[in-house]
Amino acid sequence: MDQKNDSSFTGFILLGFSDKPQLELILFVVLLIFYVFTLLGNTTIIVLSRLNPHLHTPMYFFLSILSFLDLCYTTSIVPQLLVNLGGADKSISYGGCVVQLYISLGLGSTECVLLGVMAFDLYAAVCRPLHYTVIMHPRLCALMASASWLIGFAHSLLQTVLIFLLPLCGRNKLDHFLCEVPPLLKLACVDTTRNESELFFVGVLILLIPVTLIMFSYSRIVRAVLRMKSAAGQRKAFETCGSHLTVVSLFYGTAIYVYLQPSSNYSQDQGKFVSLFYTIITPMINPLIYTLRNKDVKEAIKKVLWKDHGSR
């Protein structure tokens, strides 16, 4: 690789929001608060799913995995971003950039697949309630979760290898706050048409196929819910599905904007703010969406708080 042959190449400069210095301090404070809430919210979901026997179901098994993914995802990005926002040094080593891209893209891709798996779980719960425990066997749940991780990190490995095989010819100023594929492609000093086509094709597989399966599942779910005679059952089903659909819309909508639009239409400034949304804001609000709209989780929180209060 050309960058390795250049002895002066030591890493990348993450320009981030350096063109808006008045915004950096505000972003530092806001993102630090968001990061703390992300850690607290997702850790709460994981702990509740482990401690409360009523949450030992496939739905909360996948929800706890989603929370763990969000914890790791933001941690692979936010600490480096806070360091860059809080100081003059905005550099990241070559190896650090490779690792950040591989881990963050792997976790994000895994979440794409997992949200599709969660839609299948909802379909089985609503449309096949009598056979739900047979369909969503613990072994199948573990297999689907493992497949999500495998597909996600296989995709990340492919993209990471392809992007860092491109010659950069000494270019190291990355107009972004993290090592991500679209801005890294812009550093290449060769024609990247093939890479962009490959990125679009794989992006369709990782993003649009799960979205299509989710929409198909929800079409069946809505039909099943409307046939329910119990108003309470309809309300519970819509609340549960509404939480998942909200998460899906936020995550996929922003990811599709970044990865599936033509590079000629890609705005670097817009891309940075959209990336902030799906890498930081969405992982923070996921626990709120699932807890505020989920009666079981709210009851579990009350029991834990009441138990702690009663033990004093």
Side-chain angles (χ1 to χ4, degrees):
M1 289 181 247
D2 288 0
Q3 60 265 38
K4 285 189 174 182
N5 295 330
D6 184 355
S7 60
S8 65
F9 191 94
T10 57
F12 297 91
I13 305 298
L14 295 173
L15 297 179
F17 303 94
S18 56
D19 59 331
K20 301 177 180 66
Q22 70 281 3
L23 185 63
E24 287 192 318
L25 179 59
I26 298 173
L27 277 175
F28 179 87
V29 175
V30 171
L31 295 180
L32 179 60
I33 294 172
F34 279 16
Y35 184 51
V36 171
F37 275 103
T38 299
L39 296 179
L40 291 175
N42 286 289
T43 301
T44 299
I45 295 291
I46 295 170
V47 171
L48 287 176
S49 298
R50 297 278 295 179
L51 294 181
N52 194 302
H54 296 292
L55 302 184
H56 291 175
T57 63
M59 174 183 171
Y60 296 103
F61 168 72
F62 292 123
L63 180 56
S64 64
I65 294 177
L66 178 65
S67 294
F68 179 71
L69 275 171
D70 284 339
L71 277 176
C72 297
Y73 190 38
T74 52
T75 301
S76 70
I77 297 167
V78 175
Q80 176 72 48
L81 174 56
L82 292 175
V83 169
N84 291 350
L85 288 173
D89 183 13
K90 300 183 184 300
S91 64
I92 183 172
S93 68
Y94 179 84
C97 190
V98 174
V99 171
Q100 185 183 68
L101 175 63
Y102 174 68
I103 293 178
S104 62
L105 183 58
L107 293 168
S109 301
T110 300
E111 185 161 338
C112 287
V113 181
L114 184 68
L115 288 172
V117 170
M118 293 175 71
F120 174 75
D121 174 62
L122 287 173
Y123 163 78
V126 175
C127 300
R128 298 288 187 270
L130 298 179
H131 302 92
Y132 177 68
T133 55
V134 176
I135 296 173
M136 299 305 295
H137 190 273
R139 190 172 298 173
L140 177 62
C141 293
L143 181 62
M144 290 193 294
S146 300
S148 300
W149 285 90
L150 182 62
I151 294 170
F153 276 90
H155 169 245
S156 179
L157 179 62
L158 172 66
Q159 297 295 347
T160 303
V161 169
L162 290 178
I163 197 70
F164 284 104
L165 282 175
L166 290 172
L168 304 183
C169 304
R171 299 177 183 178
N172 70 336
K173 291 185 177 180
L174 192 65
D175 191 12
H176 213 287
F177 62 84
L178 80 156
C179 293
E180 198 170 36
V181 173
L184 281 167
L185 275 176
K186 291 185 176 295
L187 291 185
C189 55
V190 294
D191 182 29
T192 59
T193 303
R194 291 183 61 183
N195 294 78
E196 292 170 12
S197 300
E198 179 275 331
L199 177 64
F200 181 84
F201 175 74
V202 179
V204 167
L205 296 179
I206 293 292
L207 290 168
L208 293 188
I209 288 181
V211 168
T212 302
L213 293 175
I214 289 169
M215 293 301 102
F216 174 76
S217 297
Y218 271 100
S219 67
R220 304 297 296 270
I221 288 171
V222 169
R223 290 174 59 187
V225 170
L226 293 177
R227 292 173 183 169
M228 291 181 180
K229 297 180 180 180
S230 169
Q234 285 184 335
R235 185 170 59 253
K236 183 176 180 180
F238 276 125
E239 285 177 355
T240 303
C241 295
S243 299
H244 179 259
L245 194 58
T246 303
V247 171
V248 164
S249 301
L250 293 173
F251 184 81
Y252 283 107
T254 51
I256 287 172
Y257 173 86
V258 171
Y259 281 92
L260 293 188
Q261 68 168 313
S263 60
S264 58
N265 297 336
Y266 184 81
S267 167
Q268 202 64 51
D269 284 339
Q270 289 181 0
K272 282 187 277 191
F273 284 100
V274 171
S275 295
L276 273 178
F277 197 90
Y278 70 78
T279 59
I280 297 167
I281 298 175
T282 302
M284 184 201 71
I285 63 178
N286 279 355
L288 293 177
I289 292 171
Y290 279 109
T291 55
L292 294 178
R293 301 191 60 171
N294 192 299
K295 184 178 178 181
D296 293 335
V297 175
K298 287 189 285 187
E299 288 296 325
I301 293 174
K302 289 179 183 178
K303 287 181 180 180
V304 171
L305 293 177
W306 181 85
K307 183 178 179 180
D308 290 342
H309 180 74
S311 63
R312 291 179 182 178

